[in-house]
Amino acid sequence: SDDGGAAEQRTGLRLLWDDQDLYAAFRVADRDIRATHTRRDASLWEEEVVELFLDPWGAERLYVEIEVSPRNVVFDALVLNRGRDGESARDLDALRSWRCRGLRTAVRIDGVVNGGAVSRGWDVE
């Protein structure tokens, strides 16, 4: 939920990996699918997204954040958490230029985005 309370609709995640890649599949139950952003690295966190936070280096303060919207728009960032009251610092130039190399995404919609119709949900891989 937007306010940090309990979620009203269910989201599931499956992760698989091999020696070279990590595979993530989300299934999102959503009766009213909303997404307006169309540009990579837009402020996707303001809307409906799935999020994946990865710390492949075990650094705890440096991690990768990946978000994907129902329109298959991607936000990917390398984030440095400075640890002051959980505050994260994002260098905007680095945020715009950093790319998660090899990232590929796909979205399947079961319903209508921004259509006001009753939808069932969306899947992201």
Side-chain angles (χ1 to χ4, degrees):
S1 84
D2 291 343
D3 62 4
E8 296 176 17
Q9 299 175 85
R10 194 174 168 99
T11 297
L13 168 63
R14 301 262 195 238
L15 292 172
L16 296 170
W17 61 90
D18 58 27
D19 289 340
Q20 295 184 342
D21 296 306
L22 173 68
Y23 307 90
F26 293 85
R27 173 155 289 164
V28 182
D30 193 342
R31 293 182 296 273
D32 185 20
I33 303 168
R34 298 277 171 196
T36 61
H37 293 294
T38 58
R39 185 178 49 82
R40 185 181 181 117
D41 288 334
S43 303
L44 295 184
W45 56 86
E46 298 173 344
E47 298 182 343
E48 297 179 355
V49 295
V50 294
E51 297 176 299
L52 196 57
F53 299 90
L54 304 169
D55 180 6
W57 310 281
E60 296 181 18
R61 290 187 171 201
L62 180 67
Y63 61 90
V64 172
E65 179 177 347
I66 298 171
E67 300 178 13
V68 182
S69 80
R71 289 179 168 235
N72 200 20
V73 177
V74 171
F75 170 89
D76 56 349
L78 189 58
V79 179
L80 174 62
N81 182 340
R82 295 196 174 156
R84 292 188 315 247
D85 302 321
E87 177 184 329
S88 291
R90 292 180 175 162
D91 177 324
L92 292 180
D93 290 333
L95 183 138
R96 289 187 187 107
S97 64
W98 188 85
R99 295 285 187 257
C100 184
R101 189 181 57 173
L103 177 66
R104 294 184 303 169
T105 63
V107 173
R108 184 189 68 81
I109 301 292
D110 186 0
V112 179
V113 177
N114 301 327
V118 175
S119 298
R120 296 177 65 156
W122 49 292
D123 300 326
V124 178
E125 292 183 10

